[in-house]
């Protein structure tokens, strides 16, 4: 039974991100198809973690017995971990600057007044890196996320985290905290920021070791 390899892009990103393109090319060189679904679904306004989980479980048949390896970036990393928690077919995770403690670290960056305004008016303009423009996001994104507690992520499976020490979006301490109580997690700290754009060759090296692709 062949394995399935999946890449999940980050929040306000797309399947055409620099990391997605780089990894697709590297996997193609190994004659492996890396599946990269579009988590925006043409409707960023109604994006939620729950919708992403349901989309991947359905589109990529996670309920089947075929084994899956998921690579997730940022919010896609958080999504990947919840998918593994819910689906035994996921046998391995590789997480790039995963968005653990998302609400703790990201919401305060908005500021109290903009956050209150978003909660009342329900709509917030967010810069979408994939679309290269600002797009509205509904506050239900936050309400949905509040029902997911990182502490519930306790399924033991091989997990590699690659996180930049200079990350000012999701501080590396979030990954340190996650790994500290989960012995099945290996954390590799890199000299980079949240994008990890300047360490892609190092990331690929770690992925190859992790997946035994040499």
């Amino acid at each position: 039974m062949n394995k399935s390899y999946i890449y999940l892009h980050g929040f306000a990103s797309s399947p055409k991100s620099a990391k997605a393109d780089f990894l697709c090319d590297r996997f193609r060189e190994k004659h492996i198809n890396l599946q990269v679904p579009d988590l925006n679904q043409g409707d960023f306004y109604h994006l939620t973690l729950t919708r992403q989980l349901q989309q991947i479980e359905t589109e990529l048949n996670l309920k089947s017995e075929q084994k899956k390896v998921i690579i997730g970036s940022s919010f896609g990393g958080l999504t990947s971990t919840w998918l593994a928690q819910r689906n035994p077919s996921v046998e391995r995770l590789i997480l790039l600057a995963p968005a653990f403690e998302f609400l703790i670290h990201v919401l305060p960056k908005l500021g109290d007044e903009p956050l209150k305004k978003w909660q009342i008016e329900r709509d917030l303009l967010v810069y979408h890196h994939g679309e290269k423009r600002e797009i509205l996001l509904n506050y239900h994104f936050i309400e949905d996320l509040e029902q997911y507690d990182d502490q519930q992520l306790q399924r033991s499976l091989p997990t590699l985290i690659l996180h930049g020490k200079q990350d000012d979006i999701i501080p590396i301490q979030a990954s340190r905290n996650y790994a500290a109580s989960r012995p099945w997690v290996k954390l590799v700290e890199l000299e980079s920021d949240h994008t990890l754009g300047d360490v892609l060759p190092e990331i690929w090296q770690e992925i190859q070791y992790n997946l035994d692709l040499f």
Side-chain angles (χ1 to χ4, degrees), residues 3-7 27 34 67-71 89-94 210-211:
K3 285 182 190 174
S4 177
Y5 294 84
I6 301 163
Y7 177 83
F27 272 87
L34 183 63
K67 297 302 181 185
K68 284 88 175 171
V69 174
I70 305 183
I71 304 171
S89 66
V90 180
E91 69 169 14
R92 184 175 293 268
L93 291 174
I94 298 173
N210 189 264
L211 299 180

Side-chain angles (χ1 to χ4, degrees), residues 77-89:
L78 179 64
T79 304
S80 302
T81 315
W82 279 104
L83 287 169
Q85 180 72 23
R86 291 159 49 131
N87 298 278
S89 66

Side-chain angles (χ1 to χ4, degrees), residues 11-12 39-49 51 118-126 128 131 133-144:
F11 173 79
L39 301 175
N40 300 291
Q41 288 191 289
D43 183 16
F44 182 73
Y45 180 72
H46 291 107
L47 177 74
T48 63
L49 177 56
R51 191 186 81 177
W118 186 17
Q119 190 171 12
I120 294 168
E121 297 182 1
R122 309 300 294 175
D123 294 351
L124 177 73
L125 275 172
V126 174
H128 194 289
E131 296 284 337
R133 63 187 175 93
E134 290 190 325
I135 303 180
L136 286 173
L137 177 66
N138 190 274
Y139 189 76
H140 185 54
F141 172 79
I142 299 300
E143 294 170 330
D144 176 79

Side-chain angles (χ1 to χ4, degrees), residues 169-181:
I169 305 297
I170 303 292
I172 194 169
Q173 191 60 47
S175 283
R176 290 172 179 163
N177 294 343
Y178 185 82
S181 60

Side-chain angles (χ1 to χ4, degrees), residues 4-21:
S4 177
Y5 294 84
I6 301 163
Y7 177 83
L8 301 184
H9 64 74
F11 173 79
S13 185
S14 82
K16 290 298 181 183
S17 69
K19 283 197 290 290
D21 283 346

Side-chain angles (χ1 to χ4, degrees), residues 127-213:
Y127 183 77
H128 194 289
H129 297 277
E131 296 284 337
K132 293 182 171 50
R133 63 187 175 93
E134 290 190 325
I135 303 180
L136 286 173
L137 177 66
N138 190 274
Y139 189 76
H140 185 54
F141 172 79
I142 299 300
E143 294 170 330
D144 176 79
L145 195 53
E146 286 173 340
Q147 68 181 304
Y148 293 92
D149 180 359
D150 291 358
Q151 294 302 313
Q152 296 174 12
L153 296 168
Q154 294 295 336
R155 185 183 161 212
S156 175
L157 78 164
T159 302
L160 171 66
I161 298 178
L162 302 162
H163 207 132
K165 294 180 186 176
Q166 287 81 48
D167 193 328
D168 61 355
I169 305 297
I170 303 292
I172 194 169
Q173 191 60 47
S175 283
R176 290 172 179 163
N177 294 343
Y178 185 82
S181 60
R182 296 169 176 84
W184 57 89
V185 175
K186 176 186 177 184
L187 171 61
V188 175
E189 303 189 4
L190 300 168
E191 295 296 340
S192 189
D193 57 17
H194 188 66
T195 68
L196 299 171
D198 55 350
V199 290
L200 293 179
E202 295 168 58
I203 287 173
W204 177 235
Q205 180 112 330
E206 292 289 344
I207 289 175
Q208 287 184 93
Y209 279 125
N210 189 264
L211 299 180
D212 196 20
L213 295 179

